[in-house]
Amino acid sequence: MKKIITIIFIPFLLFAYKVDIKKWNSHYTFYEFLKDYHIPLKIYYTLNTKLKREVRHIKSGTMYFILKNNNNFKQALIPLNDKQQIQIIKKRNRFITKIVPIIYDTTKKRVSITIHKYLTYDIYKATGSNMLTRKLLNIFGDKVNFKSIPKGTVIKAVYEEKSKFGKVKDIKVLFASVKNRYYNYMAFLNPRDGRYYDQHAKSLKGMFLPTPISYKRISSYFGMRYHPILHRWRMHDGIDFVNKIGTPVHAVADGKIIYKGWMHGYGKVIKIKHNDGYITLYAHLHGWPKGIYKGQWVKQGQTIGYLGNSGLSTGPHLHFGVMHFGKWINPLNIRKSARITLWGKARKAFFSYIKKFSKKNKIALK
Ligand SMILES: [Zn+2]
């Protein structure tokens, strides 16, 4: 953190300025903060919707910084989330706000852990935290059943630890492997797309997320059903996920938005075109986040809408459809089959990257 203060406050360090390090109290509000430092409320209204929400929900215990000159407010730096902080600068009698990134201390770590008891226990013993376990479950979740992992399995990992004030905030796994006498799975983080691939350039995870939304229940599956509003049998060519209005809906795979708007019975809709002839449809939406538009490229997991009740709908739910080469298919069947294999330039770049990486980190690619 010292680094950031130095970088950001550098023009002032030449003079006798003073930095106060403070802790955000549980009942303290951004409004009170502005009042305490005689900063006009106008500052709040100039922020966009997302930032307004974030300044209203600053976590208690957050460390923030006030720069003063002869007890006069000059600047404030308040972290808003893990990545960004808001900087408020007083210039003569005007106030300016900026959003600046938070810089962490990064340490590279290498571990090799043999499972004697069980995964969580042995990893905790070796690293002092559960973070690596959580990441491994995520990376190898489709391949390895960690609940019944054989004793003697060797877990290797190369990762970056991001910390602030000496406290580990997050880790980024660059490589991991799970090896025993039955299998040897490797995962390399591809710096080009942020996905994990094995040593043959095949993705460990499917091209699709298992579901586009966190849901309470599925109210209707893919197949023939009696339509509750139209009162006749017809094909239900998707899956209906039930949850509260406003629940975020995520793109299940990278792709391009090819439709955003109203579509007869489907109400408010997003349609995304993906690789390999896939199109996904998200219907009965309540609305869309700001900045979502037709023609936009979106990433897997990105919020592209909110669950709603628009169009011909009996209650708040998301209708999710998957089309493959022009035909609706059962969304539950796509997950395991569709993996990404890198080809062409991307494949070449990946192989040259893992070759260098493996040599440096003494990883046998066989
Ligand atoms: Zn439906």
Side-chain angles (χ1 to χ4, degrees):
M1 186 46 85
K2 261 191 201 128
K3 251 187 250 162
I4 317 167
I5 303 173
T6 319
I7 293 165
I8 290 166
F9 290 157
I10 218 153
F12 298 96
L13 292 175
L14 305 169
F15 308 100
Y17 280 75
K18 189 175 146 245
V19 178
D20 286 346
I21 301 180
K22 299 193 150 200
K23 210 183 217 174
W24 198 270
N25 287 329
S26 56
H27 297 296
Y28 199 47
T29 63
F30 190 67
Y31 176 73
E32 285 172 294
F33 165 82
L34 294 178
K35 254 178 40 189
D36 285 352
Y37 293 97
H38 309 290
I39 303 167
L41 249 178
K42 203 172 71 191
I43 287 282
Y44 172 77
Y45 292 105
T46 58
L47 302 174
N48 67 36
T49 318
K50 192 173 161 250
L51 287 172
K52 273 190 191 129
R53 194 166 52 225
E54 286 190 304
V55 296
R56 285 202 309 265
H57 295 101
I58 293 166
K59 272 196 217 134
S60 69
T62 298
M63 303 297 250
Y64 64 102
F65 309 89
I66 306 291
L67 180 79
K68 285 177 178 171
N69 173 27
N70 293 328
N71 237 11
N72 289 319
F73 177 93
K74 281 285 156 196
Q75 281 196 36
L77 257 187
I78 311 168
L80 297 175
N81 49 48
D82 290 343
K83 293 195 178 98
Q84 295 172 312
Q85 50 195 343
I86 185 167
Q87 184 181 18
I88 302 168
I89 307 158
K90 189 180 182 187
K91 265 192 186 160
R92 290 191 193 93
N93 283 319
R94 283 183 56 230
F95 288 87
I96 308 163
T97 54
K98 277 186 193 168
I99 299 301
V100 288
I102 297 176
I103 299 161
Y104 292 95
D105 295 323
T106 319
T107 336
K108 205 163 167 188
K109 299 218 162 162
R110 249 173 253 157
V111 289
S112 176
I113 303 159
T114 306
I115 305 302
H116 296 297
K117 285 200 165 176
Y118 51 93
L119 188 81
T120 323
Y121 176 87
D122 288 302
I123 292 184
Y124 190 87
K125 225 177 103 186
T127 66
S129 109
N130 288 320
M131 259 179 216
L132 183 58
T133 308
R134 277 209 299 275
K135 302 277 171 171
L136 291 174
L137 291 177
N138 196 341
I139 295 167
F140 294 104
D142 284 5
K143 295 234 166 218
V144 179
N145 179 2
F146 282 107
K147 277 184 191 142
S148 60
I149 197 167
K151 294 216 163 90
T153 297
V154 177
I155 308 263
K156 283 187 182 170
V158 180
Y159 60 95
E160 281 172 1
E161 212 172 61
K162 289 205 292 183
S163 55
K164 223 176 95 186
F165 302 125
K167 225 177 127 190
V168 179
K169 291 281 177 183
D170 195 15
I171 67 168
K172 186 176 175 187
V173 175
L174 304 175
F175 164 81
S177 66
V178 185
K179 188 183 179 182
N180 53 42
R181 60 200 168 99
Y182 306 106
Y183 50 78
N184 180 16
Y185 292 127
M186 293 188 194
F188 292 90
L189 178 66
N190 184 4
R192 281 186 150 203
D193 64 7
R195 284 174 177 278
Y196 290 94
Y197 294 86
D198 66 13
Q199 67 273 39
H200 309 296
K202 209 165 182 181
S203 72
L204 276 102
K205 284 234 164 162
M207 174 178 159
F208 297 94
L209 292 177
T211 66
I213 192 167
S214 77
Y215 60 95
K216 289 201 172 117
R217 64 192 172 89
I218 289 175
S219 62
S220 186
Y221 286 88
F222 183 84
M224 292 301 286
R225 69 157 180 187
Y226 191 74
H227 197 282
I229 289 178
L230 300 173
H231 296 294
R232 54 185 154 91
W233 283 91
R234 55 181 249 174
M235 182 67 189
H236 184 236
D237 45 23
I239 285 194
D240 293 345
F241 295 105
V242 177
N243 209 336
K244 278 198 298 240
I245 285 189
T247 307
V249 175
H250 311 288
V252 288
D254 295 359
K256 189 179 176 182
I257 296 180
I258 53 168
Y259 190 88
K260 179 202 163 193
W262 189 272
M263 202 184 263
H264 35 94
Y266 283 143
K268 289 180 181 167
V269 156
I270 283 277
K271 241 178 163 180
I272 304 174
K273 189 171 183 282
H274 312 281
N275 283 340
D276 304 331
Y278 286 98
I279 286 173
T280 52
L281 167 80
Y282 311 80
H284 305 307
L285 298 176
H286 187 65
W288 306 274
K290 264 200 188 132
I292 287 289
Y293 56 91
K294 189 185 159 187
Q296 186 182 3
W297 288 90
V298 289
K299 283 262 157 215
Q300 185 178 59
Q302 192 172 335
T303 301
I304 42 111
Y306 301 104
L307 184 143
N309 196 20
S310 60
L312 271 183
S313 167
T314 48
H317 76 279
L318 170 75
H319 171 92
F320 173 57
V322 178
M323 192 178 256
H324 195 213
F325 291 123
K327 221 182 124 193
W328 294 112
I329 60 165
N330 187 347
L332 290 182
N333 290 343
I334 56 169
R335 190 187 168 200
K336 287 192 184 87
S337 54
R339 283 191 189 282
I340 301 166
T341 308
L342 296 172
W343 295 110
K345 262 189 203 159
R347 185 181 180 85
K348 240 177 142 178
F350 176 75
F351 281 141
S352 100
Y353 165 74
I354 67 168
K355 205 175 149 192
K356 248 188 247 158
F357 185 90
S358 304
K359 203 172 162 194
K360 202 172 147 199
N361 292 286
K362 299 187 181 70
I363 297 159
L365 276 174
K366 260 252 120 189

